[in-house]
Amino acid sequence: MDTPGLRMDAIKVAKVDNVVYRGNDGPATGCLHLTAHHLIFTDSSSQSEKWVPYPLISLVTRLPQTLTGSSPLALRCRTFDSFVLFFPREESAADVFESVRELTVTSSISSMYAFFYRPNPPFDVSDGWGLYSPREEFARMGVGSRTKAWRFTDINKDYSFCPTYAARLVVPARISDTVLTHAAKYRSKARIPALTYHHWANFATITRSSQPMVGLTNSRSIQDEKLIEAIFQSHLNPTSAFGGEVKPKPGQPVVYGATATNLIIDARPTTNAMANVAKGAGTEKMEHYREGKKAYLGIDNIHVMRDSLARVVDCLREADMLASSLQAGENGQSGVVLLDRHALRKSGWLRHISAILDGALLIVRNVHVNSSHVLVHCSDGWDRTAQLASIAELCLDPFYRTFRGFQILVEKDWLAFGHRFADRCGHLSSEKFFITASGDVGTAPGGADAAQAFFASVQKQFTGQGHLKETSPVFHQFLECVRQIQRQYPTRFEFNELFLQKLHYHLYSCQFGSFLFNNEKDRRTAGPEQSKAPWERTYSIWDFFNDSRNKPEYLNPEYDGSLDDPARREPGADMGVLLPNPRDVRFWYQLYGRSDEEMNGRIVVNQAVGAEFLGPVENSFEDPVLPDESESDLTSLAASSESISRTSTPSLPTMQPEPVRSLPAADSAVSMHGQSQTGSLPDLVHGQGTQNFPLPRTRTPQPQPRGGLQDVFAESPGTAMRSLWASVSSGARTAASAAQAAYGGVAKEISRNLASGPLEGEGELAERTAPTYTPYQHRAGASRTAPPIGVDQNPWSDPISARPPPQVPGSSHEGEPQVSAFASLSINDPTIALPSRLPRTPTQDSATFSTRAAHSVIRPSSQVDDSCVTVGPIGAPPAPISISEPVIAPAATEDNGNTSLSAGYDPLGVWANG
């Protein structure tokens, strides 16, 4: 086991006298001490000490010598504190710089201060590691007593089922461990949906998981679907372990309109979800999860959050540099310097905080107001998922706002569910955070020593910096969100603002073992060369806070627990459920060591816009992430149609998207609200370049039940509903766009041949064979007929003005027998690759489509598979071209005995907008 003595060899100098300290708290002169785990500065006049743990150091810069001959070192900490140390000799500054770098950059967590820390005097409480008991906490929620629809499982007792989950999980009682084993294969990192909160006021729940492994092939898992179905039905019969809907007794009235609005919350932006689809993961296809709907929150990933906080830190650093340059007089007092609040707004930090709060508020409303279930996930389910679930529980349950309850909340939703503290906090640091400013000659070694030092630094650079990409202030964001709610409700929290500040400090100090590891397995199991597990060798952070000498400092004197009594009925009572305002967010100026006026000033409203909700999504036609069935078919044809797509054909004019009209069909699916779901066929929008985006499927607006999902979105402050395709990235559709371009090339060739005739065509199709057309042979029950049109009225190439007027019911032709006036198009050229059949969904079968070419009168057909799309005139019949299977035509609806197509049907997406 490591001992402190092993780190002492990295210290080149242990003590330096006559060091000048200059920081935000004023200048001082004293002595600098370097120990195995701390940098300590002692003020000679006041004898006060400033202790800085090495993991707390985020940046060390060796600056050039000053005009007075001093050698400065500038240090920045993860607590947003910065100071400069001026050394009388350059050699001392170089030794301190090298020593701090060797002591900060380490390759093992076991060398951290937590493994050597021994409090003196000892803490009077030592139950921090056993503070959270899953059985006791979920029993407090009512699992096993108020409801029997949930059970504990030991399937992960040895962490072999899911290494990043806790040993004990809570799952639906009707789901066996065998089903869980199969469902784990469908979830990223085997992080299956598991219970994290059961609401006290009803039987609504919050569950969390990772993303499903859908991929480009639209994979599905029956076991995963049954698991989520059991979760969403757990409230129907809570007294039974088998769940299911309770059948009303004879004579008992049936209550209608009590349908739950269960939600699957995908915290990611749609572009991130689409990128994961290409990697084999993705998001749920809601046709397979009929018990709920889905919503995207648009919360950015860890890299965006890291860059946003870095911009805030840059603003603070620039303000400190300006303050240092404007020091006035010999007393060292600096003038008043305000931060660049415009640069702070551009960082987007408050916008991210507002988005997280807005997403949590959606969960709170759906659980408490709608009495419905919520499943939350992002990609792996340990970053944004932990933020949303824990903040929602903080608002829903007054227990989590107590001093002990908040500690249990952190243990349950962050530590037990596997937030990667070691990766996100970057405890191991890196040499890239130790830099030498230009102009400093330094005391670099020469000869062989210089070469050895160079190769050592190169080796560390390639082997020790990969973890920096995983760092992100995820837990820091959670603390800031708690502070925003605490500021809006100052009497509803038992702990004060200083408690959150101290928790943020020990997040990076590595003084306790709570935040050193990525999951419960790493904390609870001993390593190959260790006799004890880390939790047995370190102290918990809660031992420090619960100590009788420290606890009073972190209690809120304004706390009033009676306000959380659910039995209160006076005006302003909220049953203990908080609904924070996501737009009322401000910088946590105490954490950044600044004043409220300096960081916030007049609050800027437009930087707190809330989450960019996208939903509710009920099926894949409304989902911008999952590929459509037709798109999947086109993608599979990209390789076979490559030769045709490369032909030099004239491009079609740019077309504007047209909304698709849909009417209810007899066999329309019924949603969970008892509303008919109607489908529609999208147009393919040809924009600039080669990027083609399918429009979202539109459906007839349906009335929402009171308290339904629309109310959740509408009542949420700060909600900014965006267009369904506003966030779709063009880069994520490259594969589908290429296939559509290839398919469009075939349509262009056909269009040119139809426009110019068989003898004048110069395209590839005309050169291969002389195409001819044979009249379509009428078959009973499967014909598609339309009035004749000429070559100059071809709908693919001619403007709308040249098309014949549609046949109006009641005209002179209404009673005449209909004759087949179109010829069947069939392609028999083996060199041309076209889709033999476009996939048809039940929604397409039941929908009503339209055509822009002409008003056709069609007889009803019982065999849609035998139908044939007919194009072209029959005036000069050319040679026939045949295909192996007919292209499926849309289902038709009857109107006064006749079957007709309304204007707007465009299966290839190449007709001009009429």
Side-chain angles (χ1 to χ4, degrees):
M1 186 180 69
D2 294 337
T3 61
L6 295 179
R7 294 172 58 92
M8 296 301 295
D9 57 352
I11 301 178
K12 296 184 177 181
V13 55
K15 179 181 178 181
V16 181
D17 295 322
N18 299 324
V19 177
V20 177
Y21 167 89
R22 185 173 297 166
N24 295 332
D25 50 353
T29 302
C31 180
L32 180 69
H33 297 268
L34 297 182
T35 67
H37 301 284
H38 291 84
L39 181 149
I40 308 171
F41 176 80
T42 305
D43 191 349
S44 302
S45 58
S46 62
Q47 296 301 314
S48 61
E49 295 180 347
K50 182 180 180 64
W51 290 58
V52 180
Y54 293 129
L56 211 63
I57 299 175
S58 61
L59 181 65
V60 179
T61 305
R62 186 178 174 188
L63 301 174
Q65 285 186 341
T66 63
L67 297 178
T68 60
S70 300
S71 298
L73 287 182
L75 290 87
R76 299 196 65 85
C77 301
R78 298 175 186 264
T79 54
F80 310 103
D81 186 18
S82 62
F83 57 91
V84 181
L85 299 175
F86 294 88
F87 296 89
R89 297 189 309 119
E90 185 179 357
E91 292 79 6
S92 300
D95 291 341
V96 171
F97 179 82
E98 296 293 337
S99 301
V100 173
R101 180 174 61 182
E102 294 295 328
L103 294 170
T104 304
V105 182
T106 179
S107 59
S108 175
I109 291 291
S110 61
S111 62
M112 294 298 179
Y113 181 47
F115 292 91
F116 313 106
Y117 171 68
R118 297 297 178 266
N120 187 21
F123 297 135
D124 53 14
V125 291
S126 58
D127 63 341
W129 286 114
L131 180 70
Y132 166 64
S133 171
R135 187 169 295 276
E136 294 178 2
E137 176 58 18
F138 284 101
R140 184 193 65 84
M141 300 181 192
V143 174
S145 57
R146 195 164 58 91
T147 175
K148 291 181 171 56
W150 299 87
R151 69 177 179 91
F152 287 94
T153 177
D154 294 327
I155 192 174
N156 199 38
K157 61 182 179 180
D158 57 352
Y159 304 104
S160 60
F161 175 78
C162 178
T164 62
Y165 260 1
R168 178 162 291 181
L169 302 173
V170 181
V171 296
R174 55 191 282 197
I175 300 298
S176 65
D177 288 352
T178 303
V179 176
L180 297 179
T181 303
H182 290 281
K185 302 175 182 178
Y186 189 66
R187 291 285 168 173
S188 175
K189 308 294 190 302
R191 296 172 65 90
I192 60 172
L195 180 68
T196 183
Y197 178 71
H198 191 276
H199 195 35
W200 56 267
N202 46 50
F203 299 98
T205 61
I206 298 178
T207 51
R208 52 183 295 180
S209 68
S210 61
Q211 62 183 340
M213 307 303 292
V214 179
L216 295 174
T217 58
N218 282 333
S219 303
R220 61 181 295 190
S221 169
I222 302 299
Q223 292 80 8
D224 184 78
E225 296 166 14
K226 292 298 181 183
L227 174 57
I228 296 181
E229 179 184 8
I231 292 174
F232 287 168
Q233 293 181 354
S234 61
H235 66 286
L236 297 178
N237 193 3
T239 59
S240 173
F242 298 99
E245 187 172 359
V246 181
K247 296 183 179 180
K249 298 179 181 180
Q252 181 180 0
V254 180
V255 179
Y256 296 95
T259 306
T261 56
N262 303 318
L263 274 180
I264 297 180
I265 297 292
D266 194 328
R268 303 167 294 180
T270 55
T271 52
N272 294 14
M274 282 190 293
N276 282 276
V277 170
K279 298 178 182 179
T283 187
E284 289 84 359
K285 190 173 183 179
M286 296 312 296
E287 284 86 352
H288 305 150
Y289 302 90
R290 289 297 186 181
E291 294 291 331
K293 301 179 181 179
K294 182 171 58 177
Y296 296 94
L297 297 188
I299 301 177
D300 291 308
N301 57 26
I302 60 173
H303 312 290
V304 176
M305 302 301 183
R306 179 180 62 239
D307 296 340
S308 178
L309 183 62
R311 287 191 286 270
V312 175
V313 173
D314 290 341
C315 294
L316 301 176
R317 177 180 54 83
E318 293 175 0
D320 291 340
M321 294 176 59
L322 184 59
S324 177
S325 62
L326 295 180
Q327 286 182 350
E330 298 181 357
N331 55 3
Q333 298 296 329
S334 60
V336 177
V337 178
L338 296 178
L339 285 171
D340 186 359
R341 289 196 290 267
H342 177 69
L344 287 176
R345 290 195 298 269
K346 291 178 62 178
S347 67
W349 183 251
L350 289 185
R351 178 173 58 85
H352 298 314
I353 299 295
S354 177
I356 298 173
L357 288 175
D358 212 357
L361 183 62
L362 173 64
I363 300 175
V364 172
R365 290 184 179 274
N366 201 54
V367 170
H368 184 69
V369 179
N370 292 343
S371 301
S372 303
H373 306 278
V374 177
L375 170 62
V376 189
H377 73 77
C378 47
S379 294
D380 293 319
W382 51 48
D383 291 320
R384 288 164 283 194
T385 302
Q387 291 175 333
L388 294 170
S390 55
I391 295 172
E393 295 169 37
L394 188 78
C395 297
L396 287 167
D397 198 337
F399 173 72
Y400 291 134
R401 299 194 290 271
T402 63
F403 197 77
R404 178 182 177 86
F406 185 80
Q407 300 172 16
I408 293 178
L409 177 66
V410 174
E411 283 281 338
K412 175 174 65 72
D413 275 286
W414 291 88
L415 297 173
F417 272 99
H419 175 65
R420 305 179 67 84
F421 280 100
D423 293 342
R424 299 296 180 257
C425 297
H427 292 316
L428 301 181
S429 191
S430 174
E431 290 192 355
K432 68 176 295 184
F433 299 129
F434 293 82
I435 59 178
T436 301
S438 59
D440 186 8
V441 179
T443 57
D449 295 337
Q452 184 178 2
F454 172 76
F455 286 113
S457 62
V458 171
Q459 183 179 4
K460 291 182 179 180
Q461 180 179 3
F462 282 96
T463 59
Q465 295 187 13
H467 65 281
L468 297 180
K469 298 179 181 179
E470 299 296 323
T471 59
S472 185
V474 178
F475 191 75
H476 170 199
Q477 275 187 322
F478 163 71
L479 295 179
E480 286 226 24
C481 291
V482 174
R483 175 54 190 162
Q484 301 295 336
I485 305 175
Q486 186 186 58
R487 182 179 54 82
Q488 297 182 25
Y489 298 91
T491 61
R492 311 300 287 273
F493 291 82
E494 189 179 9
F495 51 88
N496 57 16
E497 184 268 341
L498 186 60
F499 170 79
L500 299 177
Q501 275 198 59
K502 200 67 173 180
L503 191 60
H504 178 270
Y505 173 88
H506 286 298
L507 174 66
Y508 298 104
S509 69
C510 298
Q511 184 174 342
F512 302 96
S514 300
F515 304 135
L516 292 183
F517 299 95
N518 287 330
N519 48 65
E520 183 180 285
K521 177 184 177 181
D522 295 345
R523 284 186 296 271
R524 295 285 179 175
T525 58
E529 299 179 357
Q530 298 174 348
S531 58
K532 294 183 179 180
W535 74 274
E536 300 176 298
R537 300 164 54 195
T538 61
Y539 283 87
S540 171
I541 181 64
W542 315 125
D543 294 334
F544 168 79
F545 283 118
N546 293 327
D547 184 77
S548 59
R549 292 159 297 187
N550 300 327
K551 184 177 180 179
E553 183 181 0
Y554 305 111
L555 294 178
N556 180 17
E558 301 179 3
Y559 173 67
D560 186 1
S562 63
L563 298 176
D564 295 324
D565 185 4
R568 295 183 64 209
R569 291 297 182 267
E570 58 267 24
D574 51 18
M575 301 179 64
V577 177
L578 306 183
L579 300 176
N581 184 2
R583 292 183 178 271
D584 183 14
V585 293
R586 300 173 69 90
F587 280 103
W588 187 5
Y589 63 91
Q590 297 97 330
L591 180 66
Y592 298 100
R594 299 302 195 272
S595 64
D596 188 15
E597 175 64 24
E598 191 175 4
M599 292 204 71
N600 296 301
R602 294 183 179 180
I603 190 63
V604 180
V605 179
N606 58 2
Q607 61 182 318
V609 295
E612 296 184 359
F613 291 137
L614 196 154
V617 176
E618 300 183 50
N619 49 59
S620 60
F621 295 97
E622 300 173 352
D623 200 326
V625 174
L626 295 176
D628 299 334
E629 297 292 340
S630 58
E631 292 174 8
S632 302
D633 185 78
L634 291 176
T635 304
S636 64
L637 276 113
S640 60
S641 301
E642 181 179 4
S643 60
I644 301 179
S645 64
R646 293 178 179 178
T647 58
S648 57
T649 57
S651 59
L652 294 176
T654 302
M655 305 174 189
Q656 300 295 330
E658 181 180 70
V660 179
R661 297 180 293 274
S662 60
L663 296 176
D667 55 346
S668 299
V670 179
S671 70
M672 62 180 294
H673 293 292
Q675 303 161 357
S676 62
Q677 304 295 314
T678 58
S680 56
L681 183 69
D683 292 339
L684 299 181
V685 182
H686 293 258
Q688 297 179 356
T690 60
Q691 300 295 333
N692 302 324
F693 301 97
L695 285 175
R697 270 66 176 175
T698 60
R699 54 190 181 91
T700 305
Q702 301 287 352
Q704 294 290 337
R706 185 174 181 83
L709 184 61
Q710 294 295 343
D711 293 339
V712 175
F713 282 94
E715 297 177 8
S716 175
T719 300
M721 293 293 296
R722 299 293 185 256
S723 173
L724 189 62
W725 293 92
S727 303
V728 176
S729 171
S730 60
R733 296 279 182 167
T734 304
S737 302
Q740 292 170 3
Y743 198 44
V746 179
K748 297 172 186 177
E749 288 288 351
I750 297 175
S751 175
R752 294 181 57 190
N753 282 274
L754 293 176
S756 58
L759 301 178
E760 300 176 1
E762 298 177 357
E764 185 178 356
L765 295 178
E767 294 175 357
R768 290 173 177 170
T769 58
T772 59
Y773 292 79
T774 58
Y776 175 75
Q777 301 298 326
H778 172 71
R779 288 184 297 172
S783 64
R784 297 291 188 268
T785 60
I789 59 176
V791 176
D792 57 340
Q793 298 172 353
N794 192 300
W796 272 315
S797 58
D798 215 42
I800 303 170
S801 59
R803 302 180 187 176
Q807 296 289 344
V808 180
S811 61
S812 58
H813 302 281
E814 183 177 356
E816 299 179 2
Q818 303 298 328
V819 182
S820 176
F822 269 60
S824 62
L825 168 64
S826 56
I827 301 177
N828 196 23
D829 192 339
T831 62
I832 301 179
L834 285 176
S836 59
R837 186 182 300 274
L838 293 177
R840 188 182 72 255
T841 63
T843 306
Q844 291 173 336
D845 288 341
S846 61
T848 300
F849 302 93
S850 58
T851 177
R852 301 190 186 94
H855 186 81
S856 304
V857 180
I858 306 173
R859 297 192 181 99
S861 172
S862 59
Q863 298 293 334
V864 181
D865 291 340
D866 294 336
S867 62
C868 180
V869 177
T870 58
V871 297
I874 61 175
I881 310 175
S882 62
I883 58 175
S884 58
E885 292 185 69
V887 178
I888 295 177
T893 59
E894 297 184 3
D895 184 13
N896 298 327
N898 296 327
T899 305
S900 61
L901 293 178
S902 59
Y905 174 54
D906 187 5
L908 299 180
V910 295
W911 288 352
N913 182 16

